[in-house]
Amino acid sequence: MAKFSAVRGFTLLEMLAAICIVLILVATLYPALEQVTPRAEKIACINNLKNLHTLFAATYAVDGWPQVPSGITLGSIDEQKWWLEKSKKELGLSEKNWECPTLRRRFRSVKESERPVIHYLPTPFSKQPNRANQWPQMPWFIEISDAHGGGNLLILQTGTVEQSRR
């Protein structure tokens, strides 16, 4: 005859105590976790700027910077669309390469027709060869908004990321 042993589980009191301990830990860690997201988004944003800089340096810096066609206003949605389409065709970039995670989150509640197309605007340089490399303090890309506090992010010809001064 088989002998069955009773399986002992957790009591309701033990389960409630474990849940309370977990809730206390979450409550104490929550402020620290709130600070992690903005830092991670800023790092991702800086990484996007560096990737754009690397691709543009390899493709356009020496032979000549792309020229926005006449009739397109600098800083307009049409200019943003033009840069996005040009970079898709010539560099294989996507919308995600041009997006700051912080701004994407902020614009989530804005109607799609009113959102910016890209979050980093390239600086207009002349088409002359090597023109973009002649001014080391001139930013190549500027973030469209002060998304991270302390000024808009920008990347210089040297690949250095800085924040604009207010």
Side-chain angles (χ1 to χ4, degrees):
M1 182 178 247
K3 190 174 183 183
F4 294 99
S5 62
V7 178
R8 186 178 184 283
F10 292 104
T11 67
L12 181 60
L13 188 58
E14 290 170 330
M15 289 297 287
L16 287 174
I19 290 171
C20 285
I21 291 170
V22 168
L23 289 175
I24 290 169
L25 287 172
V26 168
T28 56
L29 292 175
Y30 187 74
L33 293 175
E34 264 186 343
Q35 294 174 359
V36 169
T37 300
R39 286 183 190 162
E41 288 177 344
K42 184 176 181 180
I43 290 168
C45 187
I46 289 170
N47 189 45
N48 285 346
L49 281 168
K50 287 185 177 193
N51 288 337
L52 287 170
H53 177 271
T54 300
L55 283 168
F56 272 64
T59 309
Y60 303 125
V62 175
D63 295 332
W65 202 257
Q67 299 300 294
V68 176
S70 61
I72 294 180
T73 305
L74 294 179
S76 68
I77 294 294
D78 288 336
E79 181 198 10
Q80 294 177 27
K81 289 177 182 176
W82 182 82
W83 279 112
L84 181 60
E85 289 307 312
K86 183 161 189 68
S87 67
K88 279 181 177 180
K89 289 177 192 168
E90 295 182 7
L91 304 172
L93 296 176
S94 70
E95 291 88 352
K96 194 146 180 102
N97 300 111
W98 290 91
E99 283 185 345
C100 167
T102 302
L103 291 174
R104 181 180 46 217
R105 184 172 37 83
R106 285 186 187 168
F107 290 131
R108 212 178 288 152
S109 61
V110 175
K111 288 192 300 188
E112 191 168 341
S113 61
E114 296 175 6
R115 293 180 198 164
V117 177
I118 60 176
H119 298 161
Y120 315 108
L121 285 177
T123 299
F125 291 104
S126 78
K127 191 173 175 82
Q128 292 177 322
N130 216 17
R131 181 65 72 168
N133 292 323
Q134 291 181 354
W135 296 286
Q137 294 305 313
M138 180 78 165
W140 279 21
F141 297 94
I142 302 171
E143 189 177 32
I144 63 169
S145 174
D146 178 8
H148 311 286
N152 303 42
L153 291 177
L154 50 93
I155 189 160
L156 303 175
Q157 177 260 334
T158 59
T160 305
V161 176
E162 296 181 359
Q163 287 192 284
S164 63
R165 293 167 188 87
R166 291 186 180 186

